[in-house]
Amino acid sequence: MDNLKKIIVLGSGNSGGGGIHDYLLSRDDIISPFNGNEFRLVNDPDGLNDLYISLYEKFSINESALSILRFKKFIERLMSSRFNKKNNIYSKDLAKISADFIIKIIEISYNGSPQFYFDKMNNIQKSIFYFKRFILRQQSRSIDLLNMALPVNRNEFLKNCEIYLQNIFSTNVNLTSTNCIVINQGGNFWYPVSSTKYYGKNTYPVLVTRDPKGIFWSMKRRNSLSYPGHDIKVFVKWYRSIMEKINLNEFEKIIHIKYENFFSNYKLEKVKLCKELGILPETNDKFKLESTRKNLFKFKDHLQHNEIEFIDKELKEFIQC
């Protein structure tokens, strides 16, 4: 598995990343551990990336302990979520695999309750603590409080992350039967390199951008709860804000795909992408190109003329078609 190639497709939301992911997944030589579903464990709040930042980039003793607790609860939420149960993304083994991972990334631990943690307790929890401490006369260290955990060194953490993620993949697919997997949304669009270092070597972040008119139409059509497709003025401010937050130093080190250009010039762009990924462009695939092309510029038929003009004017430096 040391030679396993990990292709991580990243988009900002309605940006066409799913189309690039679907092309790669349709190939005979690439598989997905999650049946094409998004892999949110790395980049969602309290996920693996947040855990790393808390432990190594913004370290404090209390934050270290609390971030590990948040990560444990995050894994529990992932497993119990309705989306996971519906799509069968994570196996029941995730709990044990995660518990083993947490043990390996902790160097020192002890039971405690800093003031901030005590302040976060509700009245019932405080009452239980007082009862055990002053009525039952239990020692504080024997009462279940917060696991004050300090991490192993950074390199050891990253090494264990790679093993952890591959163990998760292995519960869903036979990794010995392939040398290339594709992961949908397995990192941070704005920090595509640093947020995907957990996968180890042979990792290829593929960042997909799309013309903002197409993004706005997609949001508007889907009535997305997470995105501002209801108001074009809000959308324009939103889009400019998110694009200005891309880490340009990392942007230069990844594969960048322009959605409309890729599928408009499919044969040429496919060869270029495959060359950058080190895979053969002539490999058989089941990708439905015509279906994608049919929807590529639908915004022209469905957005009002003044909406198209407004986006082209206000976001001219981001226009791709």
Side-chain angles (χ1 to χ4, degrees):
M1 283 191 284
D2 286 344
N3 295 321
L4 181 67
K5 185 174 295 184
K6 285 84 62 173
I7 305 171
I8 317 298
V9 180
L10 303 172
S12 62
N14 295 272
S15 66
I20 302 300
H21 169 270
D22 291 348
Y23 156 65
L24 292 167
L25 183 56
S26 74
R27 293 171 53 100
D28 291 345
D29 58 346
I30 299 178
I31 62 175
S32 166
F34 308 108
N35 298 315
N37 291 292
E38 293 183 353
F39 181 54
R40 310 301 307 186
L41 186 146
V42 171
N43 194 53
D44 266 6
D46 295 333
L48 195 59
N49 193 47
D50 272 4
L51 179 63
Y52 174 86
I53 291 171
S54 294
L55 293 181
Y56 299 101
E57 295 185 359
K58 296 182 179 179
F59 173 82
S60 73
I61 295 173
N62 290 344
E63 178 60 21
S64 175
L66 192 58
S67 65
I68 291 173
L69 177 62
R70 290 197 301 262
F71 183 72
K72 289 179 181 178
K73 292 182 177 180
F74 170 73
I75 296 299
E76 292 173 2
R77 292 195 301 271
L78 275 185
M79 295 186 65
S80 62
S81 73
R82 184 170 57 182
F83 185 77
N84 178 50
K85 292 177 179 178
K86 178 182 177 182
N87 296 283
N88 196 29
I89 301 172
Y90 304 102
S91 78
K92 61 181 184 300
D93 296 325
L94 179 63
K96 183 181 184 308
I97 293 171
S98 299
D100 291 343
F101 166 70
I102 290 169
I103 290 173
K104 290 176 181 177
I105 64 167
I106 293 176
E107 183 172 24
I108 302 166
S109 66
Y110 55 94
N111 191 38
S113 181
Q115 185 62 45
F116 86 92
Y117 186 71
F118 192 80
D119 291 341
K120 287 169 68 71
M121 291 181 181
N122 59 40
N123 290 334
I124 294 176
Q125 292 170 323
K126 288 179 180 178
S127 296
I128 293 173
F129 171 79
Y130 287 133
F131 178 77
K132 289 181 177 179
R133 180 72 178 88
F134 299 109
I135 304 300
L136 299 182
R137 300 287 182 176
Q138 292 183 10
Q139 293 292 321
S140 297
R141 61 179 175 272
S142 66
I143 301 173
D144 186 24
L145 297 167
L146 177 64
N147 183 32
M148 301 300 296
L150 301 182
V152 296
N153 69 62
R154 190 185 304 247
N155 289 337
E156 189 172 349
F157 176 88
L158 291 174
K159 180 180 71 175
N160 280 296
C161 283
E162 183 177 4
I163 296 170
Y164 173 52
L165 292 176
Q166 291 203 4
N167 285 339
I168 293 174
F169 303 154
S170 296
T171 62
N172 289 355
V173 294
N174 180 8
L175 293 182
T176 60
S177 67
T178 185
N179 64 0
C180 189
I181 63 174
V182 60
I183 305 293
N184 193 13
Q185 298 293 357
N188 187 322
F189 174 84
W190 295 270
Y191 291 84
V193 176
S194 57
S195 69
T196 55
K197 60 180 173 288
Y198 314 106
Y199 297 93
K201 59 184 179 180
N202 297 324
T203 298
Y204 296 78
V206 177
L207 190 143
V208 184
T209 58
R210 182 181 185 182
D211 189 278
K213 297 185 292 293
I215 292 180
F216 180 66
W217 161 240
S218 180
M219 292 178 180
K220 193 174 183 180
R221 175 175 60 86
R222 296 180 181 183
N223 194 25
S224 304
L225 292 175
S226 302
Y227 302 105
H230 60 285
D231 187 318
I232 192 169
K233 292 183 178 180
V234 174
F235 167 78
V236 164
K237 291 180 180 179
W238 173 88
Y239 187 83
R240 179 177 296 283
S241 178
I242 67 165
M243 295 305 286
E244 288 176 347
K245 290 176 173 59
I246 291 177
N247 186 309
L248 295 179
N249 292 328
E250 295 195 10
F251 192 81
E252 296 172 354
K253 302 174 185 177
I254 52 88
I255 299 169
H256 177 208
I257 298 294
K258 293 184 177 181
Y259 177 68
E260 290 87 0
N261 182 55
F262 184 88
F263 290 114
S264 295
N265 305 283
Y266 181 66
K267 289 184 178 180
L268 176 62
E269 293 300 318
K270 181 176 76 168
V271 171
K272 288 167 59 178
L273 173 61
C274 291
K275 183 178 180 180
E276 291 189 88
L277 292 173
I279 57 179
L280 298 174
E282 60 269 20
T283 297
N284 290 332
D285 66 72
K286 304 175 185 66
F287 185 69
K288 297 178 181 179
L289 176 61
E290 290 310 312
S291 175
T292 299
R293 277 183 170 167
K294 188 185 302 182
N295 296 311
L296 205 55
F297 301 105
K298 272 199 169 181
F299 69 85
K300 295 181 180 180
D301 300 321
H302 296 282
L303 290 182
Q304 297 176 20
H305 183 67
N306 64 320
E307 290 178 319
I308 292 175
E309 282 191 333
F310 184 74
I311 293 175
D312 280 343
K313 177 183 176 183
E314 297 296 324
L315 298 173
K316 56 186 176 183
E317 66 267 46
F318 302 111
I319 299 301
Q320 295 186 180
C321 65

